[in-house]
Amino acid sequence: MAFRALLSEVEAEASAANITYYPCVKDAVSFAKDASSPFAYKFYNKDEVILGKKMRDWLRFSVVYWHTFRGSGADPFGAPTLPNARGWVVVDGDLSKQSRKQILEGCIRRVDAAFELFVKLGVDYYAFHDRDIAPELSTIEETNDLLDAVTDYMKKKQDQTGVKLLWGTANLFSHPRYANGGATNPDFRVFAYACAQVKKAIELTVKLGGEGYVFWGGREGYMSLLNTDVRKELDHLAAMFKMAVAHKTELGRPDLAFYIEPKPKEPTKHQYDYDAQTVMAFLRTYGLENDFKMNIEPNHTTLAGHSYEHDIVFSCAYDMLGSIDCNTGDDQLGWDTDQFLMDDRKATLVMMAVIKMGGFTTGGLNFDCKVRRESTELEDIFIAHIGSMDCFARGLIQAAHIISTNKLQSMVDSRYSTWKSTPEAQTVESGKAKLALLEEFVKNLDAAKQAVSTVPSSGKQELFEMVFNDEIYAALRK
């Protein structure tokens, strides 16, 4: 029997059971500035207006399906620690021993648990991989039938709650077939399967009214150059992207935002979408720069050896920032730990960039984060999200103050003042200058005894850092 034919029965049984998945939090989390409880927002007041927009519209918080409802707490050295505390199916188990109805029931219980959390947190968005919401079955037809049934139910939950899909994506990294890559696999049959999976995931995203779609190439890279034709693999990756662009247009959603999520390594030794600048170069090489933007995950940015905000700032500078997976890593660990950000300084730097670009249009702050393996209680899921949402709310308040006072920006402008005050500099920026013009400019400086000093002008880094810190604390005092 098709999964869709079973949906009404399973849905009715779930409704009759009326399970509360988070009895530890009875009511929706609300704003209470002076609250002592960890189950209240002290700074995130979603309808408060900052620089002409509500907080919720600046921040556009989204909860992820994978870590939150599929995270088991397992690591390379230990077994799962979390499923026993969850009232939904975290790990699917042996699907060959389950009936179709049992498989569908597991998916529906996860949906119910997810939307209960979304509503109680008061977030407006969520995100998923296709394999988060439903497991892969023996054939692509069976798998897609299950996905159709589950997303039918998800659409109902969206309509009931008002929670929307920020973006969807396809998992092209977990299944053994993708050990050598998805779109960059040397086996054409695997490439074709990856494209079929992406096709369906885009269709599901459109069905659910998603605002965007993310491509993360965890296996799109290499472990050894000895057995890899890098040009061929990148050509094939671009070919899949171009087919995806064509498909969203065929579906009547040319406005569906496409994002690429950079990461330098893990699980591959080298990932082709290493960082924001690498991805921008790739897109320009293949004529895709107008079809994609970035979904930046700062934990990936730091793995590339950059500062936390680096890829966000660079993406904003070229109008290429689409969305942010707002997690963080651990400075003492060399892998992707996907922690909830609790650092005001980093949150402020992120929100300064977001404000300067005018805010998100289709993206948001997506909590690609997981509670620690040792955080085994259900309430820890709430505490983690609440704490990080408050952190970004403080970051927004602080960033708005810094931008409004204009102290930092005026200091930056001062560093570059000769580019504004010198006609020859303006000629350079207009693209009309020639080297001979600049040679003559330098000769004139020499003649006027105004040669460039051998002592460079001070960058005043310490002053910038002092003012930044002063402004952060001034914002909170205000």
Side-chain angles (χ1 to χ4, degrees), residues 71-75 78-86 372-377:
S72 69
D75 68 15
T81 59
L82 303 179
N84 290 338
R86 278 47 171 158
R372 299 301 85 196
R373 184 171 187 266
E374 302 79 15
S375 299
T376 55
E377 297 180 6

Side-chain angles (χ1 to χ4, degrees), residues 404-453:
S404 296
T405 64
N406 205 41
K407 287 183 182 178
L408 273 179
Q409 187 58 51
S410 64
M411 291 165 63
V412 173
D413 292 343
S414 179
R415 285 197 73 208
Y416 295 89
S417 61
T418 58
W419 284 88
K420 187 174 182 179
S421 62
T422 310
E424 289 85 353
Q426 294 171 35
T427 305
V428 171
E429 291 191 334
S430 71
K432 298 177 181 179
K434 294 185 177 181
L435 294 177
L437 171 70
L438 303 183
E439 180 186 39
E440 187 64 25
F441 173 74
V442 174
K443 287 179 179 179
N444 290 336
L445 287 178
D446 288 342
K449 300 188 183 302
Q450 296 175 355
V452 178
S453 172

Side-chain angles (χ1 to χ4, degrees), residues 1-15:
M1 183 180 289
F3 285 103
R4 270 182 159 165
L6 294 167
L7 180 58
S8 294
E9 179 184 355
V10 171
E11 184 179 347
E13 291 175 357
S15 178

Side-chain angles (χ1 to χ4, degrees), residues 25 30 77 133 227 258 262 285 302 448:
V25 178
S30 59
F77 301 94
I133 61 175
N227 64 357
F258 275 178
T285 298
T302 54

Side-chain angles (χ1 to χ4, degrees), residues 42-45 50-51 55 58-59 61 308 341-356 365 387-404 468 471-473 475-476:
K42 286 83 169 177
F43 292 89
Y44 179 53
N45 185 5
I50 305 285
L51 297 182
M55 270 196 178
W58 279 118
L59 299 167
F61 287 130
Y308 184 87
L341 183 69
M342 303 291 181
D343 184 324
D344 278 24
R345 181 183 184 278
K346 291 176 179 176
T348 302
L349 290 165
V350 168
M351 293 314 301
M352 285 174 65
V354 171
I355 291 173
K356 286 178 181 178
L365 295 178
S388 198
M389 289 167 75
D390 262 351
C391 178
F392 277 102
R394 288 192 300 272
L396 173 61
I397 294 166
Q398 291 156 182
H401 174 79
I402 290 169
I403 288 171
S404 296
F468 178 74
E471 291 286 82
I472 282 180
Y473 292 113
L476 291 183

Side-chain angles (χ1 to χ4, degrees), residues 33-94:
K33 185 176 181 180
D34 298 319
S36 58
S37 168
F39 302 105
Y41 298 117
K42 286 83 169 177
F43 292 89
Y44 179 53
N45 185 5
K46 61 184 178 181
D47 291 320
E48 179 181 346
V49 176
I50 305 285
L51 297 182
K53 282 187 182 181
K54 292 180 179 181
M55 270 196 178
R56 70 194 308 167
D57 296 325
W58 279 118
L59 299 167
R60 290 169 62 91
F61 287 130
S62 169
V63 174
V64 302
Y65 221 96
W66 49 102
H67 290 317
T68 316
F69 309 107
R70 288 299 215 167
S72 69
D75 68 15
F77 301 94
T81 59
L82 303 179
N84 290 338
R86 278 47 171 158
W88 61 89
V89 178
V90 175
V91 180
D92 292 307
D94 188 347

